Amino acid sequence: MWSTAQLKKTIEKVIGDRLLVIASNREPYIHVYKEGKIEYIRPVGGAVTALDPVMRVCAGTWVAHGSSSADRDVVNKKNEVKVPPYDPKYTLKRIWLTKDEENGYYYGYSNKALWPLCHMAYTRPNFDDIDWAYYKIVNQKFADTILEVIKDRQAFVWIQDYHLMLLGRMLKEKNRDLLTAHFLHIPWPNPEVFRICPQKTEILKGLLANDLLGFHIRYHCANFIGTVKAELEARVDEEKTSVTYGGHETFVRAFPISVDFEETSKLADSKEVKAAAKKLMDEFSIDDDLFLIVGLDRIDYTKGIMEKIQALDRFLEKFPKYKGKVMFIQKGGLSRIHIGKYKELNDKLNSLVEEVNWKHSTEKWFPVALARRHMSRKEITALYTLANACVVSPLHDGMNLVCKEYIAAKNDLNGVLLLSRFAGAARELKGSIFVNPYDREHFALAIKKAIELPKEAREKRMRRLRNIVKENNIYKWAGKFLEELKKI
Ligand code: GDG
């Protein structure tokens, strides 16, 4: 099993004296004002959850958009602050964006065009020229900042996600000696879908400037290679899974991201989490006899939150004997609320929960609780430990970390995972009860199956899932990525 110690060795071997720079839109830590005092928060989101433990081992510089109220007040003259705040291990360098830049680059091109384009969740992408212009401006801003950090040092830049698809090329144009890799946390769609993107050539060229390109699963790699074949005059080597374009070879590989299994598992057994679990039981009136189902997602149309509540509704229609015996808590953090589609979804979700509760509630019981407040990692972990089942039902998802966190927290084996076939994680997590979120009838039956699964079968499945996540943890993800870099 990969550990921090093994990763550290790999980092030393691969990175050596090179400076490690991570570039991502989102910061690993944000600083906010609360009652006049500055506090820090670890923002919600998969990439950060996965990379913070890696950076703590590597001690490099993380360049990201400084987006929060107190962010400017804790940095030095170089816009840098050491993090984690409670145990400083690496440097966070913040980039400031104007309102227009944030609107065009983040809300606009990244999340109104690329996010729906790559997720194929039947939400039409919106390509706007001004958004694209800002996308380029902000990518250039990142490039300039990173080149400034690196100066003439040898460095490896590890770029994260769809917000920075032009960055690799911008960096290489200025400094050919840099080693750059890009990991995409979201799916890559098939060539037919990508074809409609007006900026497709620039995006592909941007990505193909990197030395290594990573996706979660092989299916996304194959889609990417198919897209390159359809769109560019490039040489594809199927054996090596590499693409040569403009004389530069880029290796394309799958690295399934994961969680820190040991840490989550240990946290789940801690006194603090047990205390948090007790509080949650009071807050949501969770009775020991209830079968508790939990969902945890950013409120996003790709996550299939509406679909899971509709499936629960259908389940209660079909099997009314479960009324009063089952409870569903959906933790949903607001996300990208300045985008119309997200606001709309949030309103729809409120109405749906109200409707389903009204329809099925009894004097003392209602089926769905929508938990909106921010929860700490301890509280999230407590929720996992309480949950008899966790439902992860995205319409399409790069990987999905919630299902892996749930598995890592279930030390007592008393839990069932219902998992969408369209999450990247479905390729690995054999032992889940698989669902198609578009098939409400079948989804409802899967909920019944989860509730009725005998103890032995439940434990057997969970044991199998835990072995998979334990073996394929976050350190393995990072380690394998770096080992691949060494090979090329
Ligand atoms: C992208 C890809 C890929 C959620 N609410 C709270 C909270 N969370 C944490 C969860 C989990 C993370 O946020 C969500 O991770 P996901 O993987 O589900 O989703 P995305 O944000 O869409 O991430 C995804 C990921 O990148 C990594 O590559 O798996 O496919 O879309 O860690 O626990 N954490 C806290 N409070 C909350 O209220 N503390």
Side-chain angles (χ1 to χ4, degrees):
M1 194 181 64
W2 276 76
S3 63
T4 38
Q6 190 178 353
L7 178 60
K8 210 167 172 181
K9 271 194 209 146
T10 307
I11 289 163
E12 279 157 13
K13 222 167 46 194
V14 179
I15 310 278
D17 290 337
R18 279 199 173 90
L19 172 69
L20 174 70
V21 179
I22 285 189
S24 71
N25 170 68
R26 196 186 289 265
E27 312 171 78
Y29 293 89
I30 58 174
H31 289 87
V32 290
Y33 277 108
K34 205 172 162 198
E35 291 159 12
K37 277 202 199 140
I38 295 183
E39 284 185 4
Y40 74 86
I41 298 180
R42 231 174 86 158
V44 170
V48 168
T49 310
L51 283 161
D52 181 62
V54 174
M55 268 314 250
R56 280 194 239 170
V57 177
C58 306
T61 297
W62 187 322
V63 180
H65 167 212
S67 57
S68 215
S69 59
D71 276 359
R72 285 178 194 265
D73 300 335
V74 295
V75 295
N76 63 16
K77 279 192 193 134
K78 288 152 96 188
N79 297 321
E80 292 174 354
V81 57
K82 290 273 181 206
V83 288
Y86 51 88
D87 179 24
K89 285 273 172 14
Y90 63 95
T91 305
L92 168 61
K93 187 174 182 77
R94 288 178 166 146
I95 287 187
W96 314 115
L97 301 183
T98 63
K99 269 258 161 346
D100 284 344
E101 285 172 344
E102 190 178 355
N103 265 334
Y105 140 85
Y106 180 74
Y107 290 107
Y109 201 77
S110 297
N111 286 312
K112 282 193 206 154
L114 292 172
W115 179 268
L117 178 74
C118 292
H119 279 90
M120 303 186 282
Y122 304 100
T123 295
R124 190 186 160 137
N126 183 353
F127 304 100
D128 180 293
D129 281 353
I130 297 180
D131 290 346
W132 170 244
Y134 279 118
Y135 187 81
K136 286 195 281 191
I137 289 172
V138 174
N139 271 248
Q140 191 62 57
K141 224 171 180 172
F142 270 82
D144 296 344
T145 308
I146 291 168
L147 291 165
E148 172 84 33
V149 168
I150 294 171
K151 297 207 169 68
D152 49 10
R153 288 180 66 178
Q154 292 254 326
F156 162 50
V157 186
W158 194 355
I159 306 165
Q160 306 298 319
D161 233 355
Y162 60 104
H163 314 87
L164 300 171
M165 298 221 245
L166 307 176
L167 182 55
R169 186 177 170 86
M170 289 170 169
L171 290 170
K172 290 274 196 171
E173 272 171 1
K174 289 275 161 55
N175 184 347
R176 285 219 79 73
D177 295 337
L178 281 183
L179 196 57
T180 72
H182 196 134
F183 186 80
L184 262 298
H185 292 260
I186 63 172
W188 190 272
N190 63 46
E192 272 306 295
V193 169
F194 194 73
R195 218 179 131 202
I196 64 164
C197 175
Q199 295 80 21
K200 56 191 176 187
T201 311
E202 275 151 290
I203 288 176
L204 290 174
K205 283 182 182 174
L207 291 172
L208 290 173
N210 291 289
D211 302 295
L212 176 62
L213 201 50
F215 295 92
H216 288 301
I217 56 175
R218 280 210 218 126
Y219 175 60
H220 302 153
C221 297
N223 278 347
F224 179 78
I225 290 185
T227 305
V228 169
K229 279 189 193 160
E231 301 293 344
L232 295 179
E233 294 279 329
R235 201 177 71 235
V236 171
D237 186 326
E238 305 276 358
E239 286 256 303
K240 285 158 76 187
T241 45
S242 74
V243 177
T244 304
Y245 181 72
H248 177 80
E249 188 170 22
T250 305
F251 291 82
V252 182
R253 296 281 183 276
F255 304 97
I257 208 165
S258 191
V259 296
D260 188 338
F261 180 91
E262 295 293 327
E263 196 211 28
T264 306
S265 168
K266 220 164 109 192
L267 186 66
D269 272 343
S270 70
K271 265 197 239 143
E272 291 96 327
V273 163
K274 286 191 177 132
K278 273 212 180 97
K279 276 197 188 155
L280 287 172
M281 287 184 76
D282 288 344
E283 184 180 341
F284 293 100
S285 311
I286 306 167
D287 192 303
D288 273 338
D289 301 335
L290 278 177
F291 187 93
L292 180 66
I293 306 175
V294 160
L296 170 76
D297 313 86
R298 276 185 306 103
I299 298 186
D300 191 300
Y301 53 82
T302 63
K303 298 287 181 185
I305 308 171
M306 296 288 283
E307 286 74 4
K308 71 175 117 168
I309 294 172
Q310 283 158 347
L312 187 81
D313 175 28
R314 185 72 191 117
F315 161 77
L316 291 170
E317 275 174 8
K318 279 171 91 92
F319 311 107
K321 66 170 185 181
Y322 282 108
K323 287 189 185 186
K325 302 203 169 98
V326 174
M327 182 182 188
F328 176 56
I329 299 180
Q330 172 66 43
K331 162 77 187 74
L334 278 183
S335 169
R336 305 172 192 168
I337 204 70
H338 303 306
I339 299 177
K341 288 270 179 234
Y342 285 75
K343 205 169 167 318
E344 232 172 74
L345 170 68
N346 192 42
D347 295 344
K348 279 192 191 154
L349 189 59
N350 280 334
S351 319
L352 179 67
V353 170
E354 219 173 86
E355 193 188 308
V356 171
N357 279 341
W358 182 82
K359 185 165 150 192
H360 298 288
S361 62
T362 61
E363 247 174 45
K364 289 193 182 143
W365 169 91
F366 61 92
V368 187
L370 199 52
R372 291 203 169 270
R373 67 174 179 81
H374 180 81
M375 289 190 185
S376 66
R377 231 174 96 63
K378 282 178 193 135
E379 286 177 296
I380 295 290
T381 311
L383 202 56
Y384 291 145
T385 62
L386 291 174
N388 301 96
C390 180
V391 189
V392 176
S393 55
L395 307 181
H396 200 183
D397 213 337
M399 174 56 63
N400 192 291
L401 293 179
V402 170
C403 49
K404 294 189 174 183
E405 289 168 2
Y406 175 65
I407 292 166
K410 284 319 269 183
N411 295 331
D412 63 0
L413 306 179
N414 182 19
V416 189
L417 176 66
L418 284 104
L419 178 60
S420 163
R421 294 187 181 285
F422 312 125
R427 310 268 160 154
E428 287 173 88
L429 298 182
K430 310 285 180 244
S432 318
I433 294 180
F434 289 110
V435 295
N436 173 353
Y438 292 96
D439 182 349
R440 193 175 304 171
E441 215 52 36
H442 186 262
F443 198 162
L445 292 175
I447 294 175
K448 179 169 185 275
K449 181 173 172 183
I451 296 172
E452 293 175 357
L453 206 62
K455 185 169 181 277
E456 231 170 73
R458 196 166 64 218
E459 291 184 356
K460 193 171 165 202
R461 280 173 182 262
M462 187 48 79
R463 198 171 290 118
R464 183 172 177 199
L465 288 168
R466 283 172 67 81
N467 286 337
I468 297 169
V469 181
K470 189 172 179 181
E471 178 59 36
N472 298 289
N473 63 13
I474 182 64
Y475 300 108
K476 182 168 176 186
W477 172 76
K480 290 279 170 198
F481 197 99
L482 295 173
E483 278 182 0
E484 200 59 43
L485 203 66
K486 174 100 182 150
K487 276 192 223 157
I488 62 175

